[in-house]
Amino acid sequence: MSDQIIVTVSGVDKVGIVAEVTAVLAKNEVNIEDIKQTLMQGHFVMFMLCDIEKSTYTFKEIKEALITCGKNMGMEVWVQKKEIFDNMHKI
């Protein structure tokens, strides 16, 4: 079983989005392995591949912390286990 997760953040661009999300990840002992972000006509989108293997927090706790962070910023946040994400996108 993989300990990798995919975090997606989307919403109206503003200062501090990356800082807020990465602070939550750091607090929850999550390692960011890859990060991509783009801005499309004022709409911010970020994808992160993260590893939770060494975290003392559960997937559920990490997911809830990220979703709460997103709500506080007015952003949509989705968190999925990478293996589920991969299976959903197989043809």
Side-chain angles (χ1 to χ4, degrees), residues 7 12-14 26 31 36 72 74 88:
V7 179
V12 176
D13 188 37
K14 61 182 136 198
N31 185 46
K36 303 254 186 284
N72 291 342
M88 286 175 44

Side-chain angles (χ1 to χ4, degrees), residues 20-35:
E20 293 284 336
V21 173
T22 56
V24 170
L25 291 171
K27 181 179 177 192
N28 285 273
E29 304 163 354
V30 176
N31 185 46
I32 300 169
E33 294 185 341
D34 197 3
I35 183 170

Side-chain angles (χ1 to χ4, degrees), residues 1-2 4 6 80-88:
M1 183 152 195
S2 172
Q4 291 181 311
I6 302 288
Q80 295 178 290
K81 292 189 176 186
K82 184 178 182 295
E83 61 190 1
I84 293 171
F85 180 87
D86 289 343
N87 288 331
M88 286 175 44

Side-chain angles (χ1 to χ4, degrees), residues 23-81:
V24 170
L25 291 171
K27 181 179 177 192
N28 285 273
E29 304 163 354
V30 176
N31 185 46
I32 300 169
E33 294 185 341
D34 197 3
I35 183 170
K36 303 254 186 284
Q37 67 183 52
T38 190
L39 190 60
M40 297 182 292
Q41 298 179 357
H43 194 82
F44 177 89
V45 181
M46 177 170 64
F47 301 97
M48 290 182 285
L49 174 64
C50 302
D51 188 337
I52 62 172
E53 179 182 9
K54 295 180 181 166
S55 177
T56 56
Y57 296 88
T58 66
F59 170 75
K60 183 179 179 183
E61 290 170 325
I62 294 165
K63 181 176 181 174
E64 288 174 357
L66 287 165
I67 290 171
T68 298
C69 173
K71 285 180 182 174
N72 291 342
M73 292 187 297
M75 306 292 285
E76 292 287 332
V77 176
W78 297 272
V79 184
Q80 295 178 290
K81 292 189 176 186

